[in-house]
Amino acid sequence: MEPPAKGTVTPLASLFSEEEARKAASYVEEKIGEKRVEMNRLQQFVDENDNLINLVKKLPDQLHHNVMVPFGKMAFFPGRLIHTNECLVLLGENYYTDRSSKQTVDFLKRRDKTLQSQIHSLKAEIEDFQTEASFFATTASEAAEGLVEIREEYVEEDSSATVIHSNISGGEAEEGELEDDDFARIMSRLNELEMEEEQEGEDGGDRGEDGGDRGEEHDSPIESLEESQHDLVKGIRGETDRGRIEYGKQETTISVPMKASRHSSSIREPRVSESRVKAKVIQVLPETHPHKDLDDSLNFMGPMAQYLPKGDQSRSGTAQQNPGTWRDFQATAAISTAKAKTNVLGPQKIESPIEKPEPEFDSTKAFTGSIVEHAHILETSTHSQTQSSVSQPSKPVSRFKAQRR
Amino acid sequence: MDEGRQKDLQLLEEIIDKGLKQKLVHATASRDKIFEEQKVLSDLRKNLETLEKNAVNSLKTMVNLGSEVYMQAEVPDTRHIFMDVGLGFYVEFTRQEALDYIAQKEERSKKQLEEHTGVITQIKGRIKLAHYQIQQLLNLPEEDPSSSRQRAF
């Protein structure tokens, strides 16, 4: 059994007093009565109109009709109807007009339409009143029975998804529960992965302070990702200087872009695995090539691509990584996102144009110029990658090899 | 005790008031009907007299077919006229007979009018009396029961 959830219990009688509900119901019923009377009247008019139409249609059949011509209310004269095709019609406001019988029939039909529309609207009004009255009546009876309204907060059982889910379900009742469940599942999964990452990242330890500063300078998390990428490179260069704080910052920067591509949580795993493995590879490369070119960044990607399968296997063994690995992970994350062709590709594209006009020159860092190029390469690589598939990654590999030789 | 009795009396008077007022309304309505009848008769009489004076035999008029749609009608011979004598009967009269009949009917309606007026006046008087009694009770709430009884005669 779950712990008793917070909730409110309100007797219906307090919300709607029974007497008032009954009064309201009776008042509404009165209105209904009035409207019904009105409707009957209109219906009478309609019937009268129909009769008149029939009469006027038949009258022209004869030249004269023998009728009793009324003389006031109490007397009649025997007489004849003459000029049977001509009618004097009241248009309203004491205006009369002579019309033939056919025209009169048309006139009467138009009048009939007006009446029908009036009846229609009255009917709608009556229906509205009826629903109101029934609602009041049921409320009154419920209040009399002592019906009680109970509201409870919806508490999710799964602890990992509690925070997220409670926010979502706080206001809702039970509607859209299915959707919430799916969403909760995804969210809990992501949360688990995040936590794992954080744990592994913490085991790593040191980070370059510069990288952290970089991360802070830019507003978008995507930018910070690239920054962290550069920081990763720098970190590999000068590992000794890095402090733990920066690591944390970079960690956050990673996690944000990761979250940006929520919809495919599976991507993170390969990324993580890739990073672990490739970190070692990367560590070697930057040392050999101090100058950061576009090619270098591509070189990173090349070996990483090769080591993809290995990454999955070695994931379990790489529970404890050094900072280099972690930084590499960041780099690979950025690159692998490009490879995996997720939405992060898009942000990366955005990154690059932003990065270009802001070449940051820090005296403490060695690769400021190369950073810019790095972005450029990434942009081009991502562009090409989005368009075509496997052919592009091979390019950086070849270039790297060419450089090596 | 006194107050209770006063309340009862008040209630009674109110009930009387309601009943009396209802009667008054009914009586007034019936009297109005008679007034209308009188008017109609007088109009008819005037018309017939006009016809007589001008020796008009034929007549052209407009007949209401319903919902204010009129058609021309001709009365070739106005010597005979059918009159409503009540209970759904119409009697054929000549013009002169009709005039006589109308005169008789007018007298009868006058009598009816007087009767109704009498009834109405009576009801009005009773209502006035009840009002007066209520007033007395309200003005002197601490009077002796004997005196209040005297008033409620």
Side-chain angles (χ1 to χ4, degrees), chain A residues 287-335:
Chain A
E287 280 157 19
T288 53
H289 299 272
H291 305 290
K292 282 292 157 182
D293 308 328
L294 293 168
D295 299 337
D296 274 351
S297 58
L298 289 169
N299 296 339
F300 281 122
M301 295 172 69
M304 282 175 220
Q306 291 168 8
Y307 284 95
L308 251 169
K310 258 200 186 177
D312 294 321
Q313 296 169 12
S314 59
R315 203 196 164 194
S316 56
T318 58
Q320 295 179 347
Q321 301 290 329
N322 38 22
T325 315
W326 191 239
R327 283 177 235 125
D328 295 338
F329 159 65
Q330 284 184 331
T332 40
I335 297 159

Side-chain angles (χ1 to χ4, degrees), chain B residues 126-143:
Chain B
R126 279 193 209 148
I127 290 170
K128 257 194 173 176
L129 205 64
H131 276 304
Y132 180 71
Q133 283 174 1
I134 292 168
Q135 214 182 20
Q136 286 286 316
L137 277 169
L138 288 170
N139 285 341
L140 307 163
E142 291 170 0
E143 278 283 315

Side-chain angles (χ1 to χ4, degrees), chain A residues 105-119:
Chain A
V105 166
D106 292 337
F107 172 84
L108 290 172
K109 279 188 179 166
R110 284 194 294 273
R111 197 189 275 178
D112 184 53
K113 264 191 195 175
T114 318
L115 283 171
Q116 292 287 0
S117 70
Q118 278 183 12
I119 287 178

Side-chain angles (χ1 to χ4, degrees), chain A residues 12 47 56 66 85 95 112 127 137 159 207 231 240 257 271 278-279 287 309 315 319 334 353 364 378 400 403-404:
Chain A
L12 216 61
D47 294 338
V56 172
N66 286 325
N85 204 33
Y95 273 93
D112 184 53
E127 275 178 29
S159 61
R207 276 279 140 190
D231 296 332
T240 52
R271 260 189 246 151
K278 277 129 207 187
E287 280 157 19
R315 203 196 164 194
T364 57
L378 265 181
F400 166 62
Q403 272 196 353
R404 267 217 141 161

Side-chain angles (χ1 to χ4, degrees), chain A residues 48 52 59 68-69 71 74-84 86-90 96 104 111, chain B residues 40 44 47 59-62 65-75 78 80-84 90 105:
Chain A
E48 201 184 314
L52 193 58
L59 280 176
M68 287 298 251
V69 179
F71 198 67
M74 299 178 74
F76 291 92
F77 276 118
R80 295 186 308 176
L81 275 178
I82 56 172
H83 299 160
T84 51
E86 296 166 22
C87 296
L88 190 71
V89 182
L90 172 69
Y96 290 85
T104 312
R111 197 189 275 178
Chain B
V40 167
L44 191 60
N47 282 334
L59 195 62
K60 258 194 188 172
T61 181
M62 284 286 201
L65 300 177
S67 305
E68 304 295 317
V69 173
Y70 294 91
M71 196 168 273
Q72 277 188 44
E74 190 199 24
V75 180
T78 56
H80 295 277
I81 185 168
F82 287 80
M83 286 220 50
D84 178 16
Y90 289 80
K105 233 190 165 176

